[in-house]
PDB file of all heavy atoms in Angstrom:
ATOM      1  N   THR A  13      -9.911  -8.840 -19.454  1.00 95.00           N
ATOM      2  CA  THR A  13     -10.037 -10.262 -19.667  1.00 95.00           C
ATOM      3  C   THR A  13     -11.514 -10.663 -19.621  1.00 95.00           C
ATOM      4  O   THR A  13     -12.359  -9.863 -19.206  1.00 95.00           O
ATOM      5  CB  THR A  13      -9.231 -11.066 -18.606  1.00 95.00           C
ATOM      6  OG1 THR A  13      -9.205 -12.436 -18.988  1.00 95.00           O
ATOM      7  CG2 THR A  13      -9.889 -10.953 -17.236  1.00 95.00           C
ATOM      8  N   GLN A  14     -11.762 -11.879 -20.055  1.00 96.00           N
ATOM      9  CA  GLN A  14     -13.126 -12.359 -20.060  1.00 96.00           C
ATOM     10  C   GLN A  14     -13.376 -13.176 -18.794  1.00 96.00           C
ATOM     11  O   GLN A  14     -12.440 -13.790 -18.239  1.00 96.00           O
ATOM     12  CB  GLN A  14     -13.406 -13.210 -21.296  1.00 96.00           C
ATOM     13  CG  GLN A  14     -13.394 -12.392 -22.579  1.00 96.00           C
ATOM     14  CD  GLN A  14     -13.641 -13.265 -23.815  1.00 96.00           C
ATOM     15  OE1 GLN A  14     -13.332 -14.475 -23.783  1.00 96.00           O
ATOM     16  NE2 GLN A  14     -14.180 -12.683 -24.849  1.00 96.00           N
ATOM     17  N   PHE A  15     -14.596 -13.199 -18.383  1.00 96.00           N
ATOM     18  CA  PHE A  15     -15.009 -14.006 -17.228  1.00 96.00           C
ATOM     19  C   PHE A  15     -14.480 -15.435 -17.406  1.00 96.00           C
ATOM     20  O   PHE A  15     -14.723 -16.065 -18.418  1.00 96.00           O
ATOM     21  CB  PHE A  15     -16.515 -13.983 -17.119  1.00 96.00           C
ATOM     22  CG  PHE A  15     -17.071 -14.732 -15.935  1.00 96.00           C
ATOM     23  CD1 PHE A  15     -17.327 -14.063 -14.769  1.00 96.00           C
ATOM     24  CD2 PHE A  15     -17.338 -16.084 -16.022  1.00 96.00           C
ATOM     25  CE1 PHE A  15     -17.849 -14.745 -13.668  1.00 96.00           C
ATOM     26  CE2 PHE A  15     -17.850 -16.780 -14.918  1.00 96.00           C
ATOM     27  CZ  PHE A  15     -18.100 -16.099 -13.747  1.00 96.00           C
ATOM     28  N   GLY A  16     -13.713 -15.921 -16.436  1.00 96.00           N
ATOM     29  CA  GLY A  16     -13.223 -17.307 -16.476  1.00 96.00           C
ATOM     30  C   GLY A  16     -11.976 -17.530 -17.275  1.00 96.00           C
ATOM     31  O   GLY A  16     -11.419 -18.628 -17.244  1.00 96.00           O
ATOM     32  N   LYS A  17     -11.473 -16.518 -17.950  1.00 97.00           N
ATOM     33  CA  LYS A  17     -10.264 -16.700 -18.782  1.00 97.00           C
ATOM     34  C   LYS A  17      -9.021 -16.348 -17.960  1.00 97.00           C
ATOM     35  O   LYS A  17      -8.889 -15.225 -17.481  1.00 97.00           O
ATOM     36  CB  LYS A  17     -10.329 -15.800 -20.020  1.00 97.00           C
ATOM     37  CG  LYS A  17      -9.172 -16.010 -20.982  1.00 97.00           C
ATOM     38  CD  LYS A  17      -9.341 -15.185 -22.222  1.00 97.00           C
ATOM     39  CE  LYS A  17      -8.153 -15.419 -23.178  1.00 97.00           C
ATOM     40  NZ  LYS A  17      -8.303 -14.616 -24.419  1.00 97.00           N
ATOM     41  N   PRO A  18      -8.098 -17.292 -17.823  1.00 96.00           N
ATOM     42  CA  PRO A  18      -6.921 -17.022 -16.987  1.00 96.00           C
ATOM     43  C   PRO A  18      -6.148 -15.806 -17.424  1.00 96.00           C
ATOM     44  O   PRO A  18      -6.037 -15.498 -18.640  1.00 96.00           O
ATOM     45  CB  PRO A  18      -6.081 -18.301 -17.176  1.00 96.00           C
ATOM     46  CG  PRO A  18      -7.018 -19.344 -17.578  1.00 96.00           C
ATOM     47  CD  PRO A  18      -8.080 -18.658 -18.389  1.00 96.00           C
ATOM     48  N   VAL A  19      -5.587 -15.109 -16.473  1.00 97.00           N
ATOM     49  CA  VAL A  19      -4.816 -13.920 -16.741  1.00 97.00           C
ATOM     50  C   VAL A  19      -3.597 -13.872 -15.815  1.00 97.00           C
ATOM     51  O   VAL A  19      -3.658 -14.361 -14.679  1.00 97.00           O
ATOM     52  CB  VAL A  19      -5.699 -12.658 -16.595  1.00 97.00           C
ATOM     53  CG1 VAL A  19      -6.127 -12.465 -15.131  1.00 97.00           C
ATOM     54  CG2 VAL A  19      -4.975 -11.431 -17.100  1.00 97.00           C
ATOM     55  N   THR A  20      -2.495 -13.326 -16.330  1.00 97.00           N
ATOM     56  CA  THR A  20      -1.268 -13.173 -15.556  1.00 97.00           C
ATOM     57  C   THR A  20      -0.837 -11.731 -15.563  1.00 97.00           C
ATOM     58  O   THR A  20      -0.761 -11.114 -16.624  1.00 97.00           O
ATOM     59  CB  THR A  20      -0.137 -14.061 -16.130  1.00 97.00           C
ATOM     60  OG1 THR A  20      -0.495 -15.439 -15.993  1.00 97.00           O
ATOM     61  CG2 THR A  20       1.151 -13.792 -15.388  1.00 97.00           C
ATOM     62  N   LEU A  21      -0.556 -11.236 -14.390  1.00 97.00           N
ATOM     63  CA  LEU A  21      -0.017  -9.873 -14.236  1.00 97.00           C
ATOM     64  C   LEU A  21       1.430 -10.004 -13.809  1.00 97.00           C
ATOM     65  O   LEU A  21       1.776 -10.897 -13.038  1.00 97.00           O
ATOM     66  CB  LEU A  21      -0.818  -9.098 -13.189  1.00 97.00           C
ATOM     67  CG  LEU A  21      -2.351  -9.059 -13.371  1.00 97.00           C
ATOM     68  CD1 LEU A  21      -2.978  -8.223 -12.261  1.00 97.00           C
ATOM     69  CD2 LEU A  21      -2.739  -8.586 -14.740  1.00 97.00           C
ATOM     70  N   SER A  22       2.265  -9.093 -14.281  1.00 97.00           N
ATOM     71  CA  SER A  22       3.679  -9.219 -13.986  1.00 97.00           C
ATOM     72  C   SER A  22       4.212  -7.980 -13.261  1.00 97.00           C
ATOM     73  O   SER A  22       3.674  -6.875 -13.400  1.00 97.00           O
ATOM     74  CB  SER A  22       4.484  -9.439 -15.264  1.00 97.00           C
ATOM     75  OG  SER A  22       4.525  -8.259 -16.044  1.00 97.00           O
TER      76      SER A  22
END
Side-chain angles (χ1 to χ4, degrees):
Chain A
T13 191
Q14 292 179 333
F15 183 93
K17 184 175 180 180
V19 65
T20 296
L21 309 182
S22 71

